Amino acid sequence: MSCDLAIIIVEHDCADLLRQCLRSLVEHTRTIRYRVLVISNGPRDPDVSALEAVLPTLQVVRAPHCASFAAATNLGLRLLPKGQDAPRYVLLLNPDTYLHDDALGALVRCMDAHAQVGVAGPQLRRPDGTPQPYSHGAAPTPGYLLRRLWSQLRGAYLHPWSGTAPLETEWVAATCMIVRHAALRAVGPLDERFGLYFEDVDWCLRLRAAGWRVLFVPTIAITHLGGASIGARATQHYDRALVRLYAKRYGGLPAAWLWWALRLRRALRR
């Protein structure tokens, strides 16, 4: 039997956060049919019995060799039911999130109301309730990166992170991202060449190129602890992924220039 939403959570040694996430999901997701698939992607397996005590229908699968986030997510995508049993939507969800106010049901209803939207994301909030930056944004073109650098030097952001109505954008964060199954079939899975970061940006840009809209929905919000499942060396992961995105979209020379610019920026910060 098909469901409204298949939820894929990639877990990397954060079992306590995952249990909290699952508790919030069970408590605050009552208006839709859903199934949850956890991809265990760390050196240690989570306590499956403790997770099943929260959600008995949970499915836990071990990813081989501590795969990248994109590869672990794609494993989950491959395991989803096919044909008539396929879910209408797929949700990527970080384990360091907390759901409330029927957020996932609201996302499903939003997608139902906007047939041309291929992917959507809610507002991400810090634990103190304030909007978290970089929940959505524009494509990181050379001009955009220069504008962003200038805004950072002035202590400002290029985008508002809250709002009162859905906003069409170029990408939303995979922290909590709902994807229409038909759009997923059209563009394929995440690009596994991205180890961490920018796999969501690349996916959204591919969806837009295929004619699907990307929607940021600030009227739906979830809490995101941020960084709890990433670990150290986040800046290096970020820079490496951004360079890889440039190599894919603009070619080797712009990617090389960007790499040296990022190295210079890191050196100046030190």
Side-chain angles (χ1 to χ4, degrees), residues 11-17 40-46 62 66 228-229:
E11 183 270 347
H12 188 92
D13 284 352
C14 53
D16 290 340
L17 291 172
S40 175
N41 196 35
R44 295 183 297 273
D45 289 325
R62 154 62 67 179
C66 292
S229 59

Side-chain angles (χ1 to χ4, degrees), residues 18 25 33 51 53 77 93 118 175 182-183 204 228 231 259 261:
L18 176 58
L25 192 156
R33 296 169 299 163
L51 299 179
L77 293 174
L93 185 66
T175 305
C204 288
W259 174 249

Side-chain angles (χ1 to χ4, degrees), residues 24 27-31 98-107 109 125 219-222:
S24 72
E27 182 177 355
H28 296 288
T29 309
R30 300 180 183 275
T31 62
Y98 188 86
L99 306 174
H100 38 79
D101 300 330
D102 193 30
L104 300 190
L107 279 175
R109 291 188 290 274
R125 290 181 181 168
T219 53
I220 304 171
I222 71 166

Side-chain angles (χ1 to χ4, degrees), residues 29-57:
T29 309
R30 300 180 183 275
T31 62
I32 58 171
R33 296 169 299 163
Y34 65 89
R35 63 180 67 189
V36 179
L37 173 60
V38 170
I39 305 298
S40 175
N41 196 35
R44 295 183 297 273
D45 289 325
D47 184 345
V48 176
S49 61
L51 299 179
E52 289 178 339
V54 179
L55 182 61
T57 58

Side-chain angles (χ1 to χ4, degrees), residues 59 79 94 113 137 155 160 163 177 196 204 244 270:
Q59 181 182 2
L79 294 173
N94 276 20
M177 168 193 284
L196 186 64
C204 288
R244 186 168 288 116
R270 288 195 295 267

Side-chain angles (χ1 to χ4, degrees), residues 37-239:
L37 173 60
V38 170
I39 305 298
S40 175
N41 196 35
R44 295 183 297 273
D45 289 325
D47 184 345
V48 176
S49 61
L51 299 179
E52 289 178 339
V54 179
L55 182 61
T57 58
L58 179 80
Q59 181 182 2
V60 180
V61 175
R62 154 62 67 179
H65 312 304
C66 292
S68 68
F69 172 79
T73 300
N74 287 346
L75 171 61
L77 293 174
R78 289 193 298 272
L79 294 173
L80 295 180
K82 306 296 191 297
Q84 293 183 343
D85 293 330
R88 296 196 297 126
Y89 302 108
V90 176
L91 184 90
L92 308 189
L93 185 66
N94 276 20
D96 58 343
T97 55
Y98 188 86
L99 306 174
H100 38 79
D101 300 330
D102 193 30
L104 300 190
L107 279 175
V108 167
R109 291 188 290 274
C110 179
M111 295 293 283
D112 287 343
H114 299 85
Q116 295 305 312
V117 172
V119 59
Q123 180 185 119
L124 305 178
R125 290 181 181 168
R126 299 185 180 102
D128 64 4
T130 58
Q132 178 186 300
Y134 308 117
S135 53
H136 72 99
T141 62
Y144 172 84
L145 290 182
L146 289 173
R147 293 194 304 274
R148 178 172 162 180
L149 176 61
W150 176 244
S151 70
Q152 289 177 339
L153 292 174
R154 294 185 294 113
Y157 288 114
L158 281 178
H159 306 288
W161 309 115
S162 60
T164 58
L167 171 70
E168 188 160 355
T169 186
E170 295 191 77
W171 61 266
V172 292
T175 305
C176 181
M177 168 193 284
I178 186 170
V179 185
R180 192 178 301 274
H181 197 267
L184 172 60
R185 291 198 307 269
V187 302
L190 292 168
D191 187 337
E192 297 185 10
R193 289 175 292 181
F194 293 92
L196 186 64
Y197 295 115
F198 286 101
E199 67 288 317
D200 45 7
V201 176
D202 175 71
W203 214 20
C204 288
L205 294 178
R206 285 158 52 197
L207 283 160
R208 283 173 56 84
W212 295 97
R213 295 168 57 202
V214 177
L215 205 63
F216 170 63
V217 193
T219 53
I220 304 171
I222 71 166
T223 298
H224 179 219
L225 299 183
S229 59
I230 295 173
R233 303 178 66 187
T235 300
Q236 293 183 24
H237 286 299
Y238 184 93
D239 290 354

